[in-house]
Amino acid sequence: MALIDVFDTSFEVTQLQTRYAHWYAFGSNQRQNFGLHDDSFAYSTIDEGVYPTPMSWFFWSQVETLGATDFWMYGAMGGEVRPELQSTIFDADYPAGTPYRQAFDMCADTTHATYMLNYYAFGGVGYQGDALVNARAASDQMGYAFRLLEVSVAEGAVADTVDITATIIQDGLAPFYYDLSLALSCQGYTANLAGVDDVVSEGSTASFTYTAVPATTECLSVLEFSLSSSYALDGKPVKFAQGIDGAVVDVSLPLPPTSTTTTTVATTTTQGTTTQATTTPATQAKYICSKNEPIPDTICADGSPAGGDCATENDNNGCQKGGKRCWWNPSCSASNTTPSPVTPAPVGSPTGSCLSRNGSCSVNSECCSGNYKNNGRCS
């Protein structure tokens, strides 16, 4: 306990990790910046109930016993893929759901992993073919993922200016653990607003309002949004999960309004980092990224404008974490009134000769590449 106190007082900013969830540092005694490190990741991380007796010594079992399952909100989760699993864990026939072999995506989703050591990926030949594709998807699954969800413009209190509000959504499993702000730049204007690091949980949003922005075509035609942190290395920007580059998202707004009515514009990712803004139509497609099919009404009420990360109805593009899908409703009205019902594609439907995520299966080989048998379903 004395050692924990010393580290806690000595490192007020730097992230720290311990191998085990000690009661003096976690649970009701959660220390800021204290995270955990599982050096047998996917081997003894989660007890899936496939053992003769409960595995109370498994990593997540200990975290649950201590009541510390929210530790990742305050300190980073990391670890190392168990060395003897590294060479096969991303193979299509990897026997996930069997003793001492848990699915990587399930473990990452549960623990909210930010990083993972994996020597095999970088030593020697490394991963090839489908295994490489799966490994890259697993890497993308971890950590933070911020997107510029929408931008709105309203007449400003100062003459010849507008107020611009940008909404950020967190799509990642874990937060950004240091200061992170949202910067807006255009011709004749630059501002940086703090607080993106406060958007912690997956699916959470926050809005940032920039005031007295010049109401000129030169400024509004090219608004540049970027993320910045005082802890980022020079030349290594914190990137959006948007566009190809991610360092900057460009938005083009229409001419400023003549009243205080706000015009909301949806941002959609294009082939580059440019985001073309358009006014909200009378009806629009919206989506919810979820494991289970939502009621169509809730998609209109709680969803995001479809496109970009969820460009294909009921597909898993942009929603690869934890078996989630892009559930669409293409008939949402601008006022979010009750839309006509939409019948989505069935969950776990066959794809060619294999089953997609959530499809009922009896062995790993029935699941499509990248999916594994987990509790009777492809995951």
Side-chain angles (χ1 to χ4, degrees), residues 177-201:
Y177 292 101
Y178 296 95
D179 66 84
L180 189 63
S181 58
L182 181 66
L184 169 60
S185 177
C186 70
Q187 184 172 319
Y189 183 91
T190 300
N192 199 22
L193 300 180
V196 180
D197 49 303
D198 293 329
V199 189
V200 173
S201 300

Side-chain angles (χ1 to χ4, degrees), residues 148-180:
L148 184 62
L149 184 62
E150 63 181 20
V151 177
S152 65
V153 59
E155 186 177 17
V158 179
D160 299 321
T161 70
V162 293
D163 294 341
I164 292 176
T165 299
T167 300
I168 294 290
I169 186 170
Q170 157 73 306
D171 284 337
L173 293 177
F176 191 90
Y177 292 101
Y178 296 95
D179 66 84
L180 189 63

Side-chain angles (χ1 to χ4, degrees), residues 20-83:
Y20 299 101
H22 192 281
W23 66 267
Y24 192 62
F26 297 93
S28 59
N29 297 314
Q30 176 69 53
R31 309 295 182 97
Q32 190 73 22
N33 305 326
F34 265 57
L36 290 168
H37 181 99
D38 179 6
D39 63 4
S40 288
F41 198 77
Y43 175 86
S44 56
T45 302
I46 299 174
D47 181 356
E48 300 177 89
V50 297
Y51 309 92
T53 59
M55 309 298 277
S56 59
W57 60 273
F58 272 25
F59 175 82
W60 197 248
S61 297
Q62 295 184 60
V63 173
E64 290 178 320
T65 298
L66 193 60
T69 54
D70 288 339
F71 79 89
W72 58 272
M73 294 183 176
Y74 313 97
M77 167 67 196
E80 179 182 15
V81 177
R82 180 83 171 198

Side-chain angles (χ1 to χ4, degrees), residues 57-139:
W57 60 273
F58 272 25
F59 175 82
W60 197 248
S61 297
Q62 295 184 60
V63 173
E64 290 178 320
T65 298
L66 193 60
T69 54
D70 288 339
F71 79 89
W72 58 272
M73 294 183 176
Y74 313 97
M77 167 67 196
E80 179 182 15
V81 177
R82 180 83 171 198
E84 57 263 46
L85 302 182
Q86 291 179 10
S87 63
T88 60
I89 192 169
F90 299 117
D91 290 347
D93 58 353
Y94 176 73
T98 60
Y100 304 105
R101 286 179 175 82
Q102 293 110 47
F104 183 95
D105 60 349
M106 179 185 65
C107 292
D109 194 43
T110 300
T111 63
H112 297 268
T114 288
Y115 77 91
M116 201 58 52
L117 302 175
N118 185 346
Y119 174 80
Y120 181 85
F122 305 98
V125 176
Y127 298 112
Q128 302 291 318
D130 288 344
L132 178 59
V133 173
N134 295 336
R136 285 173 172 166
S139 178

Side-chain angles (χ1 to χ4, degrees), residues 291-305:
K291 294 180 182 179
N292 301 311
E293 179 183 358
I295 300 172
D297 290 6
T298 65
I299 300 178
C300 293
D302 303 325
S304 306

